[in-house]
Amino acid sequence: MRVLVTGGAGFIGSNFVRATLGRGVDVEVTVLDYLTYAGSRSSLFALEDQFKFVEGDIADADLVNHLVSEADSVVHFAAESHNDNSLADPSPFLRTNIIGTYTLLQAVRTYGVRYHHVSTDEVYGDLALDDPAKFTEYTPYNPSSPYSATKAASDMLVRAWVRSFGVRATLSNCSNNYGPYQHIEKFIPRQITNVLTGVRPKLYGAGKNVRDWIHVEDHNSALWRVLESGEIGRTYLIGSDGELDNLTVVRLILELMDKDPNEFDHVTDRAGHDLRYAIDSSMLRDEFGWQPHYTSFREGLRSTIDWYRDNRAWWENEKAAVEARYQAQKV
Ligand code: NAD
Ligand code: DAU
């Protein structure tokens, strides 16, 4: 199978490429990535001779048509992915997440190529902190931020292209990923690298917001199940029952790094901050027998901390710029 992976130099995409090349099956991988601030060839370190890398924009129709015409399937990760950045400047989110997805959909429509759309649980908005409910495949869309609104728009385009043009697409909406190669602007790696550089972790507001954590390898193992066995037109929810509030996560990071769990700062809350995400992944588990490998968040977090400690060269040069961006955004 010839797979075109968009956003393969980003966090989840690079882990997907690594996992795919390690599966021992006959797959030819091409990565299309624009290498924005969030993408890095170093995330694909030591794999270079096993796949083809194309630096380019998913909104470039000529390039996308050419690459799609040579593929059997497309797995679409490329996106602007950070909520805080979308609040500071929504425009690249509209271009990449909506126009970029549209460009890919037109190409897979033209060449009859199988397409999988990687999306987020944030399209469903948020749940109340005291509500036992979880998101299901039938939860109505209700996005809150510019980021999640553009992801919701892109999901809707995929559904329309399936129904109107017969595009062979599946969708998945996953909860918060953690693990190696995640950009240090994101919550968990930001706090780990804060501690490693002698800075106190930064918690938005009171830290009561809940996220449903899944290890990136578990997300990617689920994606392969959907790619191989998913029903065209269907949406699959991916999660591993990892609900924790942010305060608990910050304290656990400090504890696992041998620091006082109270050594963090409360900072200005994110505008429109979603309260709680929670995924009901029973459909995926029941239909495909999928199970997450990482059932202990504590152990997954411990290995993630070790990875950032052991791979300083991967993130160290970025740290000052990321924190300067947060300073400019006043968080
Ligand atoms: P990321 O920001 O780490 O990586 C995004 C990648 O896309 C980068 O390599 C970047 O260079 C590339 N890119 C950006 N604009 C591009 C363009 N115009 N053309 C080509 N490449 C471009 O993101 P991530 O966290 O790995 O997320 C990947 C996908 O998974 C996104 O679609 C995101 O919405 C979705 N998702 C993420 C999570 C999460 O917790 N991180 C959870 C659920 C779904
Ligand atoms: O739910 C899936 C989504 O998870 C993905 O679609 C997004 O691409 C991904 O970035 C993530 O979105 P969040 O906004 O939940 O992730 P983030 O890492 O930015 O923040 C996680 C939580 O931690 C959130 O409640 C905000 C909080 N936070 C974040 C940062 C960066 C802090 O308290 N302090 C921080 O410094």
Side-chain angles (χ1 to χ4, degrees):
M1 185 173 23
R2 298 166 302 169
V3 185
L4 176 64
V5 180
T6 72
F11 166 44
I12 306 174
S14 64
N15 278 285
F16 180 84
V17 171
R18 184 165 281 101
T20 298
L21 295 173
R23 287 177 96 224
V25 292
D26 193 14
V27 184
E28 271 177 41
V29 174
T30 299
V31 168
L32 170 60
D33 197 295
Y34 207 18
L35 296 181
T36 68
Y37 80 94
S40 170
R41 302 263 327 231
S42 64
S43 300
L44 295 160
F45 173 72
L47 302 172
E48 288 89 352
D49 55 349
Q50 297 175 56
F51 71 96
K52 182 173 154 197
F53 186 86
V54 179
E55 183 176 345
D57 183 357
I58 54 164
D60 176 344
D62 289 343
L63 175 63
V64 163
N65 275 314
H66 170 67
L67 293 174
V68 168
S69 74
E70 295 183 332
D72 300 309
S73 55
V74 174
V75 186
H76 176 36
F77 293 95
E80 286 291 338
S81 69
H82 193 35
N83 278 298
D84 292 322
N85 294 342
S86 81
L87 295 165
D89 178 10
S91 65
F93 289 76
L94 274 81
R95 183 171 183 283
T96 290
N97 299 359
I98 302 177
I99 302 298
T101 298
Y102 159 73
T103 308
L104 284 161
L105 284 170
Q106 288 289 71
V108 294
R109 176 186 169 199
T110 302
Y111 294 102
V113 168
R114 169 87 168 84
Y115 172 89
H116 182 74
H117 186 72
V118 180
S119 193
T120 170
D121 59 357
E122 295 193 13
V123 299
Y124 300 115
D126 61 354
L127 299 158
L129 292 177
D130 58 357
D131 180 355
K134 296 184 174 200
F135 298 136
T136 74
E137 283 77 1
Y138 306 108
T139 304
Y141 275 37
N142 186 27
S144 318
S145 73
Y147 161 67
S148 53
T150 59
K151 290 297 291 188
S154 70
D155 290 13
M156 292 301 173
L157 292 179
V158 179
R159 291 175 180 202
W161 261 241
V162 170
R163 176 152 174 177
S164 302
F165 304 124
V167 160
R168 291 185 298 127
T170 43
L171 301 94
S172 56
N173 296 77
C174 187
S175 60
N176 284 64
N177 286 219
Y178 72 100
Y181 298 103
Q182 185 167 31
H183 195 278
I184 57 169
E185 69 189 350
K186 301 293 184 348
F187 178 51
I188 288 180
R190 184 181 183 206
Q191 313 317 332
I192 294 171
T193 55
N194 275 347
V195 175
L196 290 173
T197 51
V199 175
R200 286 162 67 99
K202 308 291 178 220
L203 189 64
Y204 292 174
K208 295 216 181 303
N209 306 62
V210 171
R211 295 295 181 264
D212 187 355
W213 294 101
I214 180 172
H215 195 280
V216 63
E217 287 173 19
D218 287 329
H219 183 181
N220 284 330
S221 71
L223 287 179
W224 264 109
R225 296 292 181 92
V226 176
L227 260 176
E228 287 174 334
S229 312
E231 198 182 309
I232 297 307
R234 285 262 304 271
T235 289
Y236 296 86
L237 257 55
I238 304 174
S240 70
D241 297 329
E243 276 186 76
L244 286 171
D245 66 45
N246 295 338
L247 176 61
T248 303
V249 174
V250 158
R251 291 175 65 89
L252 188 54
I253 290 170
L254 284 160
E255 182 204 319
L256 292 173
M257 297 183 79
D258 298 322
K259 302 287 180 202
D260 179 342
N262 299 311
E263 289 285 308
F264 62 86
D265 295 329
H266 290 278
V267 296
T268 312
D269 207 351
R270 174 184 284 171
H273 197 171
D274 278 343
L275 289 173
R276 171 174 163 255
Y277 307 139
I279 286 272
D280 176 353
S281 61
S282 49
M283 199 180 271
L284 185 75
R285 293 171 194 244
D286 293 348
E287 285 190 27
F288 300 147
W290 174 84
Q291 293 286 345
H293 171 77
Y294 288 85
T295 48
S296 160
F297 178 74
R298 187 186 181 89
E299 290 317 308
L301 184 61
R302 194 195 299 278
S303 63
T304 303
I305 291 169
D306 288 346
W307 188 87
Y308 282 91
R309 195 181 271 129
D310 295 344
N311 291 277
R312 262 188 113 100
W314 183 82
W315 57 266
E316 201 160 33
N317 292 341
E318 294 281 315
K319 185 67 181 168
V322 169
E323 291 308 315
R325 216 154 51 219
Y326 275 116
Q327 274 305 112
Q329 293 168 8
K330 294 199 179 31
V331 288

